Amino acid sequence: MSKVCQITGKKAMVGNNVSHSKRRTKRKFNVNLFNKKFYWVEQDVWITLTLSAAGLRTINKKGLDAAIKEAAEKGYLTQIKTLA
């Protein structure tokens, strides 16, 4: 599973480690991801999403149904695990 938030589409960025002597080496800035279960009332199922902290705040602000619809329109939501 790739390290991408299913709600916001955030993924790892590439940057530089900069030493005291200003020598630069490549590094990754990973996203703060975690798996979270939600009860989706409209579909009457439990789903598991891989979210960033920003994605969780988005769900708290807009609601689960609206956030999932918006993510699906933008193409971020590729697959939802349902728990029956």
Side-chain angles (χ1 to χ4, degrees):
M1 189 174 202
S2 62
K3 295 179 180 178
V4 178
C5 176
Q6 290 180 314
I7 297 295
T8 60
K10 288 185 176 222
K11 55 186 173 182
M13 294 174 54
V14 177
N16 289 316
N17 271 332
V18 182
S19 69
H20 183 68
S21 64
K22 304 291 193 283
R23 186 178 174 94
R24 288 165 170 81
T25 56
K26 288 291 184 183
R27 63 159 291 182
K28 256 189 182 178
F29 293 94
N30 287 319
V31 185
N32 182 15
L33 289 180
F34 45 92
N35 294 320
K36 182 103 174 106
K37 282 194 244 181
F38 292 97
Y39 182 68
W40 196 3
V41 178
E42 287 79 7
Q43 301 291 327
D44 194 35
V45 291
W46 284 92
I47 58 171
T48 302
L49 295 173
T50 303
L51 294 172
S52 63
L56 185 59
R57 287 195 304 272
T58 301
I59 289 174
N60 286 337
K61 183 177 180 181
K62 297 181 179 180
L64 181 63
D65 196 45
I68 287 175
K69 284 180 184 174
E70 186 177 313
E73 287 173 2
K74 292 183 179 179
Y76 300 145
L77 196 61
T78 55
Q79 183 180 6
I80 300 175
K81 286 186 188 175
T82 59
L83 307 170

